[in-house]
Amino acid sequence: MLSLFDGEAPWQEPLGPGAMILRRFASAQAQSLLQAIEQVATDSPFRQMVTPGGYRMSVAMTSCGPLGWVSSPQGYRYAECDPLNHRPWPAMPEALRRLAETAAFDAGYPEFRPDACLINRYAPGAKLSLHQDKDERDLSAPIVSVSLGLPAIFQFGGAKRHDPLRRFLLEHGDVVVWGGPSRLWYHGIQPLKPGHHPATGECRYNLTFRRVAQSE
Ligand code: SIN
Ligand code: FE2
């Protein structure tokens, strides 16, 4: 088949029970994903939120879809409106939703229908400390995470905070899916190394698709 994309073909790497890395799964669509991110950010700009502990996060975030993730000194939560402009979060662009659903399908989660997409932007030095994604009500759905731009080191542990960590370099176009037995496993991103990527310049973007509300 004729293709405009001349990169390497995707391949899968097992990561744990219910978890895998779909290497380069998003490479061919990267340009349209980045355009979609730009479009979301014109309505709901990237911002560095403050944690309940009072720290300003190094990662800048925005969201799209029916629900968006917000952090403030009052706590973490999913909200229907962007607290910056008090309007609903931008709709989830079709290109993003389709990519998340096909990745989940390939990883063994054919029913995945995300209702939230959190968009992270990492500048050099930005990191995400070890945490669990546990603010979602529907824990039967996986997390689908898409990496674009500069590479980053992803730490993947286990169900307990002090379980040993394994480290994986996530590169442009890589998708990680974790769910089922590993849905609540600890994970994080080590401080981003400075660099230049032809698609994103000096930064890394990460999209995490989640199902927050219980599906009918
Ligand atoms: C997350 O843990 O929610 C995002 C991880 C990443 O940036 O790869
Ligand atoms: Fe997370």
Side-chain angles (χ1 to χ4, degrees):
M1 202 174 68
L2 248 173
S3 164
L4 293 173
F5 172 67
D6 56 6
E8 49 198 343
W11 69 98
Q12 299 186 349
E13 281 175 24
L15 186 60
M20 66 168 75
I21 307 182
L22 306 167
R23 293 285 186 193
R24 314 297 189 264
F25 187 87
S27 302
Q29 292 103 291
Q31 278 321 318
S32 49
L33 302 180
L34 288 165
Q35 275 168 22
I37 293 173
E38 207 171 296
Q39 178 200 320
V40 167
T42 44
D43 291 327
S44 280
F46 284 96
R47 80 291 308 261
Q48 287 171 270
M49 292 188 263
V50 177
T51 65
Y55 293 101
R56 191 165 290 279
M57 299 181 75
S58 56
V59 178
M61 298 176 169
T62 183
S63 285
C64 61
L67 293 165
W69 187 84
V70 291
S71 174
S72 73
Q74 285 71 46
Y76 306 123
R77 66 195 175 94
Y78 281 97
E80 289 171 8
C81 286
D82 177 349
L84 279 190
N85 60 22
H86 310 287
R87 291 200 303 263
W89 295 100
M92 193 182 300
E94 267 305 286
L96 298 193
R97 191 188 52 79
R98 212 174 318 116
L99 179 90
E101 291 182 4
T102 50
F105 185 95
D106 281 16
Y109 300 97
E111 316 272 283
F112 183 56
R113 299 291 176 267
D115 58 2
C117 171
L118 174 60
I119 310 175
N120 295 330
R121 188 183 65 200
Y122 296 75
K127 66 178 170 88
L128 206 54
S129 311
L130 205 63
H131 67 279
Q132 297 170 292
D133 292 356
K134 60 173 185 186
D135 300 330
E136 301 75 24
R137 260 194 308 278
D138 188 349
L139 294 175
S140 69
I143 301 286
V144 174
S145 142
V146 179
S147 293
L148 296 168
L150 286 178
I153 299 173
F154 177 64
Q155 308 171 311
F156 199 60
K160 297 196 291 286
R161 180 172 284 279
H162 296 290
D163 282 342
L165 298 175
R166 287 174 298 151
R167 293 176 171 79
F168 301 88
L169 188 71
L170 297 182
E171 295 179 273
H172 183 66
D174 288 351
V175 177
V176 186
V177 181
W178 66 97
S182 57
R183 174 62 181 74
L184 290 175
W185 283 17
Y186 280 88
H187 58 279
I189 291 286
Q190 291 185 6
L192 192 81
K193 276 220 209 121
H196 180 89
H197 191 280
T200 62
E202 323 295 311
C203 72
R204 167 180 189 256
Y205 292 98
N206 172 264
L207 304 151
T208 44
F209 296 88
R210 300 118 187 269
R211 177 80 204 179
V212 178
Q214 219 81 250
S215 340
E216 258 95 275

